[in-house]
Amino acid sequence: MEPRWLSQDERAAWLRLVAVTELLPGVLDSQLRADSGLTHFEYYVLAMLSEVPDRVLRMTVLAQRTNATLPRLSHVVRRLEDRGLVQRSPCPDDGRATNATLTAEGVAAVETAAPGHVDTVRRRVLDQLTPPQVQALREVTDALLVGLDPDGRLSGLYDPDRAQRHGG
Amino acid sequence: MEPRWLSQDERAAWLRLVAVTELLPGVLDSQLRADSGLTHFEYYVLAMLSEVPDRVLRMTVLAQRTNATLPRLSHVVRRLEDRGLVQRSPCPDDGRATNATLTAEGVAAVETAAPGHVDTVRRRVLDQLTPPQVQALREVTDALLVGLDPDGRLSGLYDPDRAQRHGG
DNA sequence: CCGACATGGTTGTTCCGTCAACTTATGATC
DNA sequence: GATCATAAGTTGACGGAACAACCATGTCGG
């Protein structure tokens, strides 16, 4: 079955979007790795925990907010626990569940890593855009997420209102 | 040194961009894998070769156009060669260089995979956007690539002069 | 309550990407 | 034309991610 091919404009936009998604992870990862010994994903795990009351989240919720599969998160959290940045403990409410708690060292790690990370985000990304373009980026990505995240699994990451329904 | 933190708008745009870059690769990879047994990156390697005269490119050029490091491309091309989709041969002009040629089977693989891939790109990405939003996406990603690809390494991927068609 | 099913996590395998080291060829310099 | 530096690719080791299999716990219908 022959699909509708892409128009000139669509193709141009699409190829650039692909290029951005290819390049962005590398930029974030290498800066964080070099300066803080953290993967971008590890940083996000710690950051998500640091923004939440008591700095505790159940593995499932944490996985949703970081767009990780449970196996992936399990491995990462185990490594972070080995490094003393996170503490795992059984959830009292549900014998199956595990809580991941950010330790004091974990807090320190996030606070140490944050400035350099934010600086990279500024210089490599946001400073390239005019204020109207920032607004446009927000609107476009919002629309894209409808197609990419139809169940709102990641909504905790970008939409505080929907976070309560899905991640709370 | 304390960085400038992100404004409300910047943070919103940034978090959504991160969410998009987290989700998009998985969407593309799983469709291509399931339907064609190809990684998105493998598909792009084959697609880039298919769009070029004689379907030959030197490894270095191919690496630039796909934003791959040379080691990564070398590994991928070896696997593709094992599957009969690509043929490697020494470059007559430069004894150090290697040419990668798309085989007939490789052409067939791209042509088989393309419709499903384009369909996914449409349904999951482009159809979520209005025409003005497609235009905005193009402009914003163009600006972003200045910061992410300062040397223009990937320009072959999105520069209209060098890239004529995609997915066909 | 008891058996079937669903949910929450972990573990192990396999594959892919990165990094560093190495081989070979080219180009510049004297 | 010999030497040294650089470029093009390959290879191997290592770490992280996807996937599948598995175990433990909770839930629901009889």
Side-chain angles (χ1 to χ4, degrees), chain A residues 19 22-23, chain B residues 41 45 48 57-70 73 149 151-158 162:
Chain A
E22 288 281 335
L23 292 166
Chain B
F41 180 72
V45 170
M48 287 302 138
L57 281 177
R58 282 173 53 162
M59 293 292 282
T60 303
V61 177
L62 190 52
Q64 287 170 352
R65 298 205 180 179
T66 56
N67 188 39
T69 60
L70 218 35
L73 184 65
D149 182 26
D151 303 333
R153 291 184 47 242
L154 248 191
S155 60
L157 199 58
Y158 51 81
R162 304 195 214 173

PDB file of all heavy atoms in Angstrom, chain A residues 19 22-23, chain B residues 41 45 48 57-70 73 149 151-158 162, chain D residues 7-9:
ATOM      1  N   ALA A  19      17.598  15.111  12.839  1.00  0.00           N
ATOM      2  CA  ALA A  19      18.966  15.530  13.155  1.00  0.00           C
ATOM      3  C   ALA A  19      19.059  16.004  14.602  1.00  0.00           C
ATOM      4  O   ALA A  19      20.000  15.666  15.320  1.00  0.00           O
ATOM      5  CB  ALA A  19      19.405  16.640  12.202  1.00  0.00           C
ATOM      6  N   GLU A  22      18.996  13.135  16.918  1.00  0.00           N
ATOM      7  CA  GLU A  22      20.245  12.377  16.876  1.00  0.00           C
ATOM      8  C   GLU A  22      21.336  13.069  17.683  1.00  0.00           C
ATOM      9  O   GLU A  22      22.133  12.427  18.358  1.00  0.00           O
ATOM     10  CB  GLU A  22      20.730  12.223  15.426  1.00  0.00           C
ATOM     11  CG  GLU A  22      19.924  11.270  14.575  1.00  0.00           C
ATOM     12  CD  GLU A  22      20.280   9.815  14.854  1.00  0.00           C
ATOM     13  OE1 GLU A  22      21.400   9.558  15.317  1.00  0.00           O
ATOM     14  OE2 GLU A  22      19.426   8.951  14.602  1.00  0.00           O
ATOM     15  N   LEU A  23      21.366  14.392  17.595  1.00  0.00           N
ATOM     16  CA  LEU A  23      22.495  15.127  18.158  1.00  0.00           C
ATOM     17  C   LEU A  23      22.309  15.485  19.628  1.00  0.00           C
ATOM     18  O   LEU A  23      23.287  15.501  20.390  1.00  0.00           O
ATOM     19  CB  LEU A  23      22.721  16.411  17.354  1.00  0.00           C
ATOM     20  CG  LEU A  23      23.220  16.196  15.931  1.00  0.00           C
ATOM     21  CD1 LEU A  23      23.097  17.469  15.118  1.00  0.00           C
ATOM     22  CD2 LEU A  23      24.670  15.731  15.964  1.00  0.00           C
TER      23      LEU A  23
ATOM     24  N   PHE B  41      18.548   3.569  12.472  1.00  0.00           N
ATOM     25  CA  PHE B  41      19.843   4.006  11.968  1.00  0.00           C
ATOM     26  C   PHE B  41      20.257   3.201  10.739  1.00  0.00           C
ATOM     27  O   PHE B  41      20.754   3.753   9.755  1.00  0.00           O
ATOM     28  CB  PHE B  41      20.906   3.886  13.057  1.00  0.00           C
ATOM     29  CG  PHE B  41      22.257   4.330  12.600  1.00  0.00           C
ATOM     30  CD1 PHE B  41      22.536   5.665  12.393  1.00  0.00           C
ATOM     31  CD2 PHE B  41      23.258   3.399  12.346  1.00  0.00           C
ATOM     32  CE1 PHE B  41      23.779   6.079  11.947  1.00  0.00           C
ATOM     33  CE2 PHE B  41      24.504   3.805  11.909  1.00  0.00           C
ATOM     34  CZ  PHE B  41      24.763   5.146  11.713  1.00  0.00           C
ATOM     35  N   VAL B  45      21.098   4.619   6.963  1.00  0.00           N
ATOM     36  CA  VAL B  45      22.308   4.317   6.202  1.00  0.00           C
ATOM     37  C   VAL B  45      21.928   3.856   4.795  1.00  0.00           C
ATOM     38  O   VAL B  45      22.442   4.376   3.791  1.00  0.00           O
ATOM     39  CB  VAL B  45      23.140   3.239   6.919  1.00  0.00           C
ATOM     40  CG1 VAL B  45      24.257   2.745   6.022  1.00  0.00           C
ATOM     41  CG2 VAL B  45      23.714   3.799   8.219  1.00  0.00           C
ATOM     42  N   MET B  48      20.373   6.755   2.760  1.00  0.00           N
ATOM     43  CA  MET B  48      21.357   7.722   2.271  1.00  0.00           C
ATOM     44  C   MET B  48      22.076   7.186   1.049  1.00  0.00           C
ATOM     45  O   MET B  48      22.303   7.897   0.071  1.00  0.00           O
ATOM     46  CB  MET B  48      22.376   8.036   3.371  1.00  0.00           C
ATOM     47  CG  MET B  48      21.835   8.895   4.492  1.00  0.00           C
ATOM     48  SD  MET B  48      21.209  10.480   3.904  1.00  0.00           S
ATOM     49  CE  MET B  48      19.708  10.644   4.865  1.00  0.00           C
ATOM     50  N   LEU B  57      29.035   5.595  -1.392  1.00  0.00           N
ATOM     51  CA  LEU B  57      29.572   6.704  -0.611  1.00  0.00           C
ATOM     52  C   LEU B  57      30.787   6.214   0.151  1.00  0.00           C
ATOM     53  O   LEU B  57      30.860   5.043   0.547  1.00  0.00           O
ATOM     54  CB  LEU B  57      28.531   7.241   0.380  1.00  0.00           C
ATOM     55  CG  LEU B  57      27.443   8.172  -0.154  1.00  0.00           C
ATOM     56  CD1 LEU B  57      26.477   8.546   0.953  1.00  0.00           C
ATOM     57  CD2 LEU B  57      28.050   9.414  -0.780  1.00  0.00           C
ATOM     58  N   ARG B  58      31.718   7.115   0.355  1.00  0.00           N
ATOM     59  CA  ARG B  58      32.837   6.783   1.227  1.00  0.00           C
ATOM     60  C   ARG B  58      32.380   6.778   2.667  1.00  0.00           C
ATOM     61  O   ARG B  58      31.485   7.529   3.055  1.00  0.00           O
ATOM     62  CB  ARG B  58      33.969   7.807   1.027  1.00  0.00           C
ATOM     63  CG  ARG B  58      34.757   7.522  -0.235  1.00  0.00           C
ATOM     64  CD  ARG B  58      35.749   8.586  -0.534  1.00  0.00           C
ATOM     65  NE  ARG B  58      36.631   8.854   0.595  1.00  0.00           N
ATOM     66  CZ  ARG B  58      37.794   9.497   0.482  1.00  0.00           C
ATOM     67  NH1 ARG B  58      38.188   9.922  -0.705  1.00  0.00           N
ATOM     68  NH2 ARG B  58      38.531   9.720   1.522  1.00  0.00           N
ATOM     69  N   MET B  59      33.000   5.952   3.445  1.00  0.00           N
ATOM     70  CA  MET B  59      32.587   5.780   4.831  1.00  0.00           C
ATOM     71  C   MET B  59      32.526   7.107   5.581  1.00  0.00           C
ATOM     72  O   MET B  59      31.586   7.378   6.322  1.00  0.00           O
ATOM     73  CB  MET B  59      33.546   4.823   5.537  1.00  0.00           C
ATOM     74  CG  MET B  59      33.489   3.397   5.032  1.00  0.00           C
ATOM     75  SD  MET B  59      31.942   2.566   5.422  1.00  0.00           S
ATOM     76  CE  MET B  59      32.207   2.176   7.155  1.00  0.00           C
ATOM     77  N   THR B  60      33.517   7.935   5.385  1.00  0.00           N
ATOM     78  CA  THR B  60      33.549   9.206   6.103  1.00  0.00           C
ATOM     79  C   THR B  60      32.347  10.067   5.757  1.00  0.00           C
ATOM     80  O   THR B  60      31.700  10.630   6.644  1.00  0.00           O
ATOM     81  CB  THR B  60      34.840   9.965   5.755  1.00  0.00           C
ATOM     82  OG1 THR B  60      35.951   9.139   6.074  1.00  0.00           O
ATOM     83  CG2 THR B  60      34.925  11.246   6.526  1.00  0.00           C
ATOM     84  N   VAL B  61      32.033  10.151   4.472  1.00  0.00           N
ATOM     85  CA  VAL B  61      30.891  10.954   4.051  1.00  0.00           C
ATOM     86  C   VAL B  61      29.601  10.372   4.604  1.00  0.00           C
ATOM     87  O   VAL B  61      28.728  11.087   5.115  1.00  0.00           O
ATOM     88  CB  VAL B  61      30.845  11.023   2.510  1.00  0.00           C
ATOM     89  CG1 VAL B  61      29.625  11.788   2.050  1.00  0.00           C
ATOM     90  CG2 VAL B  61      32.116  11.637   1.976  1.00  0.00           C
ATOM     91  N   LEU B  62      29.502   9.058   4.521  1.00  0.00           N
ATOM     92  CA  LEU B  62      28.307   8.397   5.023  1.00  0.00           C
ATOM     93  C   LEU B  62      28.151   8.636   6.525  1.00  0.00           C
ATOM     94  O   LEU B  62      27.050   8.844   7.038  1.00  0.00           O
ATOM     95  CB  LEU B  62      28.398   6.897   4.723  1.00  0.00           C
ATOM     96  CG  LEU B  62      27.159   6.045   4.962  1.00  0.00           C
ATOM     97  CD1 LEU B  62      25.935   6.618   4.276  1.00  0.00           C
ATOM     98  CD2 LEU B  62      27.416   4.610   4.496  1.00  0.00           C
ATOM     99  N   ALA B  63      29.282   8.626   7.214  1.00  0.00           N
ATOM    100  CA  ALA B  63      29.234   8.872   8.657  1.00  0.00           C
ATOM    101  C   ALA B  63      28.734  10.279   8.946  1.00  0.00           C
ATOM    102  O   ALA B  63      27.905  10.491   9.842  1.00  0.00           O
ATOM    103  CB  ALA B  63      30.620   8.661   9.271  1.00  0.00           C
ATOM    104  N   GLN B  64      29.222  11.253   8.172  1.00  0.00           N
ATOM    105  CA  GLN B  64      28.760  12.623   8.379  1.00  0.00           C
ATOM    106  C   GLN B  64      27.267  12.743   8.128  1.00  0.00           C
ATOM    107  O   GLN B  64      26.543  13.355   8.899  1.00  0.00           O
ATOM    108  CB  GLN B  64      29.516  13.572   7.454  1.00  0.00           C
ATOM    109  CG  GLN B  64      30.950  13.798   7.878  1.00  0.00           C
ATOM    110  CD  GLN B  64      31.748  14.538   6.825  1.00  0.00           C
ATOM    111  OE1 GLN B  64      31.281  14.758   5.716  1.00  0.00           O
ATOM    112  NE2 GLN B  64      32.964  14.917   7.182  1.00  0.00           N
ATOM    113  N   ARG B  65      26.790  12.141   7.078  1.00  0.00           N
ATOM    114  CA  ARG B  65      25.384  12.307   6.708  1.00  0.00           C
ATOM    115  C   ARG B  65      24.440  11.600   7.672  1.00  0.00           C
ATOM    116  O   ARG B  65      23.258  11.903   7.714  1.00  0.00           O
ATOM    117  CB  ARG B  65      25.137  11.780   5.298  1.00  0.00           C
ATOM    118  CG  ARG B  65      25.928  12.539   4.286  1.00  0.00           C
ATOM    119  CD  ARG B  65      25.292  12.488   2.929  1.00  0.00           C
ATOM    120  NE  ARG B  65      26.113  13.253   1.997  1.00  0.00           N
ATOM    121  CZ  ARG B  65      25.839  13.398   0.723  1.00  0.00           C
ATOM    122  NH1 ARG B  65      24.769  12.818   0.220  1.00  0.00           N
ATOM    123  NH2 ARG B  65      26.609  14.111  -0.048  1.00  0.00           N
ATOM    124  N   THR B  66      24.935  10.643   8.373  1.00  0.00           N
ATOM    125  CA  THR B  66      24.073   9.933   9.317  1.00  0.00           C
ATOM    126  C   THR B  66      24.397  10.303  10.756  1.00  0.00           C
ATOM    127  O   THR B  66      23.839   9.718  11.675  1.00  0.00           O
ATOM    128  CB  THR B  66      24.245   8.416   9.151  1.00  0.00           C
ATOM    129  OG1 THR B  66      25.636   8.088   9.305  1.00  0.00           O
ATOM    130  CG2 THR B  66      23.796   7.965   7.789  1.00  0.00           C
ATOM    131  N   ASN B  67      25.290  11.280  10.923  1.00  0.00           N
ATOM    132  CA  ASN B  67      25.718  11.685  12.266  1.00  0.00           C
ATOM    133  C   ASN B  67      26.270  10.524  13.072  1.00  0.00           C
ATOM    134  O   ASN B  67      26.029  10.402  14.269  1.00  0.00           O
ATOM    135  CB  ASN B  67      24.583  12.332  13.046  1.00  0.00           C
ATOM    136  CG  ASN B  67      25.072  12.914  14.346  1.00  0.00           C
ATOM    137  OD1 ASN B  67      26.145  13.480  14.416  1.00  0.00           O
ATOM    138  ND2 ASN B  67      24.290  12.760  15.398  1.00  0.00           N
ATOM    139  N   ALA B  68      26.978   9.651  12.428  1.00  0.00           N
ATOM    140  CA  ALA B  68      27.582   8.532  13.144  1.00  0.00           C
ATOM    141  C   ALA B  68      29.072   8.783  13.329  1.00  0.00           C
ATOM    142  O   ALA B  68      29.707   9.454  12.513  1.00  0.00           O
ATOM    143  CB  ALA B  68      27.377   7.247  12.365  1.00  0.00           C
ATOM    144  N   THR B  69      29.629   8.239  14.391  1.00  0.00           N
ATOM    145  CA  THR B  69      31.077   8.164  14.480  1.00  0.00           C
ATOM    146  C   THR B  69      31.542   7.089  13.507  1.00  0.00           C
ATOM    147  O   THR B  69      30.779   6.208  13.114  1.00  0.00           O
ATOM    148  CB  THR B  69      31.505   7.773  15.893  1.00  0.00           C
ATOM    149  OG1 THR B  69      30.949   6.493  16.195  1.00  0.00           O
ATOM    150  CG2 THR B  69      31.027   8.799  16.911  1.00  0.00           C
ATOM    151  N   LEU B  70      32.808   7.173  13.131  1.00  0.00           N
ATOM    152  CA  LEU B  70      33.327   6.198  12.181  1.00  0.00           C
ATOM    153  C   LEU B  70      33.303   4.777  12.743  1.00  0.00           C
ATOM    154  O   LEU B  70      32.917   3.842  12.017  1.00  0.00           O
ATOM    155  CB  LEU B  70      34.728   6.624  11.757  1.00  0.00           C
ATOM    156  CG  LEU B  70      35.137   6.408  10.301  1.00  0.00           C
ATOM    157  CD1 LEU B  70      33.961   6.607   9.363  1.00  0.00           C
ATOM    158  CD2 LEU B  70      36.252   7.366   9.937  1.00  0.00           C
ATOM    159  N   LEU B  73      29.713   3.500  12.476  1.00  0.00           N
ATOM    160  CA  LEU B  73      29.345   3.183  11.102  1.00  0.00           C
ATOM    161  C   LEU B  73      30.041   1.922  10.629  1.00  0.00           C
ATOM    162  O   LEU B  73      29.437   1.081   9.948  1.00  0.00           O
ATOM    163  CB  LEU B  73      29.697   4.349  10.179  1.00  0.00           C
ATOM    164  CG  LEU B  73      29.261   4.146   8.735  1.00  0.00           C
ATOM    165  CD1 LEU B  73      27.744   4.091   8.630  1.00  0.00           C
ATOM    166  CD2 LEU B  73      29.808   5.231   7.828  1.00  0.00           C
ATOM    167  N   ASP B 149      25.015  21.387  15.982  1.00  0.00           N
ATOM    168  CA  ASP B 149      25.851  20.904  14.887  1.00  0.00           C
ATOM    169  C   ASP B 149      26.666  22.075  14.363  1.00  0.00           C
ATOM    170  O   ASP B 149      26.560  22.455  13.200  1.00  0.00           O
ATOM    171  CB  ASP B 149      24.943  20.331  13.792  1.00  0.00           C
ATOM    172  CG  ASP B 149      25.735  19.749  12.628  1.00  0.00           C
ATOM    173  OD1 ASP B 149      26.892  19.348  12.845  1.00  0.00           O
ATOM    174  OD2 ASP B 149      25.191  19.719  11.514  1.00  0.00           O
ATOM    175  N   ASP B 151      29.618  22.568  13.454  1.00  0.00           N
ATOM    176  CA  ASP B 151      30.519  22.375  12.323  1.00  0.00           C
ATOM    177  C   ASP B 151      29.790  21.979  11.044  1.00  0.00           C
ATOM    178  O   ASP B 151      30.418  21.752  10.020  1.00  0.00           O
ATOM    179  CB  ASP B 151      31.551  21.286  12.657  1.00  0.00           C
ATOM    180  CG  ASP B 151      32.342  21.637  13.909  1.00  0.00           C
ATOM    181  OD1 ASP B 151      32.470  22.842  14.190  1.00  0.00           O
ATOM    182  OD2 ASP B 151      32.821  20.715  14.592  1.00  0.00           O
ATOM    183  N   GLY B 152      28.470  21.855  11.140  1.00  0.00           N
ATOM    184  CA  GLY B 152      27.717  21.476   9.960  1.00  0.00           C
ATOM    185  C   GLY B 152      27.975  20.062   9.500  1.00  0.00           C
ATOM    186  O   GLY B 152      27.825  19.738   8.337  1.00  0.00           O
ATOM    187  N   ARG B 153      28.365  19.210  10.421  1.00  0.00           N
ATOM    188  CA  ARG B 153      28.687  17.831  10.035  1.00  0.00           C
ATOM    189  C   ARG B 153      27.472  17.134   9.442  1.00  0.00           C
ATOM    190  O   ARG B 153      27.590  16.313   8.547  1.00  0.00           O
ATOM    191  CB  ARG B 153      29.182  17.050  11.253  1.00  0.00           C
ATOM    192  CG  ARG B 153      30.531  17.514  11.756  1.00  0.00           C
ATOM    193  CD  ARG B 153      31.013  16.627  12.896  1.00  0.00           C
ATOM    194  NE  ARG B 153      30.855  15.216  12.557  1.00  0.00           N
ATOM    195  CZ  ARG B 153      30.079  14.381  13.217  1.00  0.00           C
ATOM    196  NH1 ARG B 153      29.419  14.783  14.260  1.00  0.00           N
ATOM    197  NH2 ARG B 153      29.983  13.136  12.847  1.00  0.00           N
ATOM    198  N   LEU B 154      26.311  17.446   9.982  1.00  0.00           N
ATOM    199  CA  LEU B 154      25.108  16.768   9.537  1.00  0.00           C
ATOM    200  C   LEU B 154      24.434  17.493   8.389  1.00  0.00           C
ATOM    201  O   LEU B 154      23.360  17.089   7.960  1.00  0.00           O
ATOM    202  CB  LEU B 154      24.115  16.701  10.707  1.00  0.00           C
ATOM    203  CG  LEU B 154      23.843  15.336  11.282  1.00  0.00           C
ATOM    204  CD1 LEU B 154      22.666  15.412  12.233  1.00  0.00           C
ATOM    205  CD2 LEU B 154      23.557  14.339  10.195  1.00  0.00           C
ATOM    206  N   SER B 155      25.047  18.544   7.878  1.00  0.00           N
ATOM    207  CA  SER B 155      24.318  19.394   6.941  1.00  0.00           C
ATOM    208  C   SER B 155      23.854  18.613   5.722  1.00  0.00           C
ATOM    209  O   SER B 155      22.848  18.957   5.119  1.00  0.00           O
ATOM    210  CB  SER B 155      25.196  20.557   6.512  1.00  0.00           C
ATOM    211  OG  SER B 155      26.357  20.064   5.891  1.00  0.00           O
ATOM    212  N   GLY B 156      24.553  17.563   5.371  1.00  0.00           N
ATOM    213  CA  GLY B 156      24.115  16.740   4.261  1.00  0.00           C
ATOM    214  C   GLY B 156      22.741  16.155   4.477  1.00  0.00           C
ATOM    215  O   GLY B 156      22.028  15.829   3.536  1.00  0.00           O
ATOM    216  N   LEU B 157      22.360  16.058   5.732  1.00  0.00           N
ATOM    217  CA  LEU B 157      21.072  15.446   6.044  1.00  0.00           C
ATOM    218  C   LEU B 157      19.930  16.420   5.834  1.00  0.00           C
ATOM    219  O   LEU B 157      18.823  16.025   5.499  1.00  0.00           O
ATOM    220  CB  LEU B 157      21.092  14.992   7.499  1.00  0.00           C
ATOM    221  CG  LEU B 157      20.065  13.965   7.920  1.00  0.00           C
ATOM    222  CD1 LEU B 157      20.218  12.729   7.079  1.00  0.00           C
ATOM    223  CD2 LEU B 157      20.231  13.627   9.380  1.00  0.00           C
ATOM    224  N   TYR B 158      20.195  17.701   6.050  1.00  0.00           N
ATOM    225  CA  TYR B 158      19.063  18.621   6.025  1.00  0.00           C
ATOM    226  C   TYR B 158      19.266  19.811   5.107  1.00  0.00           C
ATOM    227  O   TYR B 158      18.391  20.638   4.966  1.00  0.00           O
ATOM    228  CB  TYR B 158      18.748  19.115   7.444  1.00  0.00           C
ATOM    229  CG  TYR B 158      19.913  19.668   8.211  1.00  0.00           C
ATOM    230  CD1 TYR B 158      20.327  20.966   7.995  1.00  0.00           C
ATOM    231  CD2 TYR B 158      20.598  18.898   9.144  1.00  0.00           C
ATOM    232  CE1 TYR B 158      21.393  21.485   8.699  1.00  0.00           C
ATOM    233  CE2 TYR B 158      21.667  19.415   9.849  1.00  0.00           C
ATOM    234  CZ  TYR B 158      22.050  20.708   9.619  1.00  0.00           C
ATOM    235  OH  TYR B 158      23.110  21.226  10.307  1.00  0.00           O
ATOM    236  N   ARG B 162      21.892  19.357  -0.858  1.00  0.00           N
ATOM    237  CA  ARG B 162      22.541  18.044  -0.941  1.00  0.00           C
ATOM    238  C   ARG B 162      21.580  16.879  -0.777  1.00  0.00           C
ATOM    239  O   ARG B 162      21.924  15.765  -1.097  1.00  0.00           O
ATOM    240  CB  ARG B 162      23.605  17.929   0.152  1.00  0.00           C
ATOM    241  CG  ARG B 162      24.620  19.048   0.066  1.00  0.00           C
ATOM    242  CD  ARG B 162      25.799  18.706   0.885  1.00  0.00           C
ATOM    243  NE  ARG B 162      26.393  19.882   1.487  1.00  0.00           N
ATOM    244  CZ  ARG B 162      27.360  19.840   2.357  1.00  0.00           C
ATOM    245  NH1 ARG B 162      27.839  18.684   2.743  1.00  0.00           N
ATOM    246  NH2 ARG B 162      27.852  20.933   2.870  1.00  0.00           N
TER     247      ARG B 162
ATOM    248  P    DA D   7      44.016  15.494  10.404  1.00  0.00           P
ATOM    249  OP1  DA D   7      43.333  16.735   9.992  1.00  0.00           O
ATOM    250  OP2  DA D   7      43.889  14.982  11.786  1.00  0.00           O
ATOM    251  O5'  DA D   7      43.569  14.331   9.406  1.00  0.00           O
ATOM    252  C5'  DA D   7      43.793  14.473   8.025  1.00  0.00           C
ATOM    253  C4'  DA D   7      43.366  13.208   7.310  1.00  0.00           C
ATOM    254  O4'  DA D   7      44.307  12.151   7.613  1.00  0.00           O
ATOM    255  C3'  DA D   7      41.988  12.688   7.718  1.00  0.00           C
ATOM    256  O3'  DA D   7      41.277  12.300   6.543  1.00  0.00           O
ATOM    257  C2'  DA D   7      42.296  11.512   8.631  1.00  0.00           C
ATOM    258  C1'  DA D   7      43.611  11.008   8.057  1.00  0.00           C
ATOM    259  N9   DA D   7      44.478  10.342   9.025  1.00  0.00           N
ATOM    260  C8   DA D   7      44.875  10.806  10.247  1.00  0.00           C
ATOM    261  N7   DA D   7      45.673   9.982  10.899  1.00  0.00           N
ATOM    262  C5   DA D   7      45.806   8.907  10.041  1.00  0.00           C
ATOM    263  C6   DA D   7      46.528   7.696  10.144  1.00  0.00           C
ATOM    264  N6   DA D   7      47.263   7.364  11.202  1.00  0.00           N
ATOM    265  N1   DA D   7      46.449   6.843   9.103  1.00  0.00           N
ATOM    266  C2   DA D   7      45.705   7.172   8.036  1.00  0.00           C
ATOM    267  N3   DA D   7      44.991   8.285   7.838  1.00  0.00           N
ATOM    268  C4   DA D   7      45.083   9.113   8.878  1.00  0.00           C
ATOM    269  P    DA D   8      39.837  11.686   6.642  1.00  0.00           P
ATOM    270  OP1  DA D   8      39.099  12.131   5.454  1.00  0.00           O
ATOM    271  OP2  DA D   8      39.321  11.940   8.004  1.00  0.00           O
ATOM    272  O5'  DA D   8      40.123  10.129   6.513  1.00  0.00           O
ATOM    273  C5'  DA D   8      40.516   9.601   5.277  1.00  0.00           C
ATOM    274  C4'  DA D   8      40.304   8.098   5.240  1.00  0.00           C
ATOM    275  O4'  DA D   8      41.273   7.485   6.118  1.00  0.00           O
ATOM    276  C3'  DA D   8      38.928   7.654   5.736  1.00  0.00           C
ATOM    277  O3'  DA D   8      38.466   6.602   4.907  1.00  0.00           O
ATOM    278  C2'  DA D   8      39.195   7.209   7.167  1.00  0.00           C
ATOM    279  C1'  DA D   8      40.615   6.689   7.082  1.00  0.00           C
ATOM    280  N9   DA D   8      41.391   6.825   8.318  1.00  0.00           N
ATOM    281  C8   DA D   8      41.406   7.896   9.170  1.00  0.00           C
ATOM    282  N7   DA D   8      42.211   7.752  10.201  1.00  0.00           N
ATOM    283  C5   DA D   8      42.765   6.494  10.008  1.00  0.00           C
ATOM    284  C6   DA D   8      43.699   5.750  10.756  1.00  0.00           C
ATOM    285  N6   DA D   8      44.263   6.193  11.886  1.00  0.00           N
ATOM    286  N1   DA D   8      44.045   4.532  10.295  1.00  0.00           N
ATOM    287  C2   DA D   8      43.482   4.093   9.151  1.00  0.00           C
ATOM    288  N3   DA D   8      42.592   4.710   8.364  1.00  0.00           N
ATOM    289  C4   DA D   8      42.278   5.913   8.850  1.00  0.00           C
ATOM    290  P    DG D   9      36.920   6.189   4.931  1.00  0.00           P
ATOM    291  OP1  DG D   9      36.469   6.056   3.562  1.00  0.00           O
ATOM    292  OP2  DG D   9      36.198   7.050   5.893  1.00  0.00           O
ATOM    293  O5'  DG D   9      37.004   4.735   5.551  1.00  0.00           O
ATOM    294  C5'  DG D   9      37.924   4.511   6.519  1.00  0.00           C
ATOM    295  C4'  DG D   9      38.276   3.067   6.732  1.00  0.00           C
ATOM    296  O4'  DG D   9      39.392   3.102   7.635  1.00  0.00           O
ATOM    297  C3'  DG D   9      37.160   2.282   7.410  1.00  0.00           C
ATOM    298  O3'  DG D   9      37.146   0.948   6.903  1.00  0.00           O
ATOM    299  C2'  DG D   9      37.530   2.326   8.879  1.00  0.00           C
ATOM    300  C1'  DG D   9      39.040   2.540   8.881  1.00  0.00           C
ATOM    301  N9   DG D   9      39.490   3.454   9.929  1.00  0.00           N
ATOM    302  C8   DG D   9      39.044   4.726  10.171  1.00  0.00           C
ATOM    303  N7   DG D   9      39.623   5.285  11.215  1.00  0.00           N
ATOM    304  C5   DG D   9      40.501   4.322  11.667  1.00  0.00           C
ATOM    305  C6   DG D   9      41.395   4.349  12.770  1.00  0.00           C
ATOM    306  O6   DG D   9      41.602   5.260  13.585  1.00  0.00           O
ATOM    307  N1   DG D   9      42.110   3.156  12.880  1.00  0.00           N
ATOM    308  C2   DG D   9      41.975   2.081  12.033  1.00  0.00           C
ATOM    309  N2   DG D   9      42.724   1.029  12.283  1.00  0.00           N
ATOM    310  N3   DG D   9      41.132   2.045  11.005  1.00  0.00           N
ATOM    311  C4   DG D   9      40.435   3.194  10.889  1.00  0.00           C
TER     312       DG D   9
END
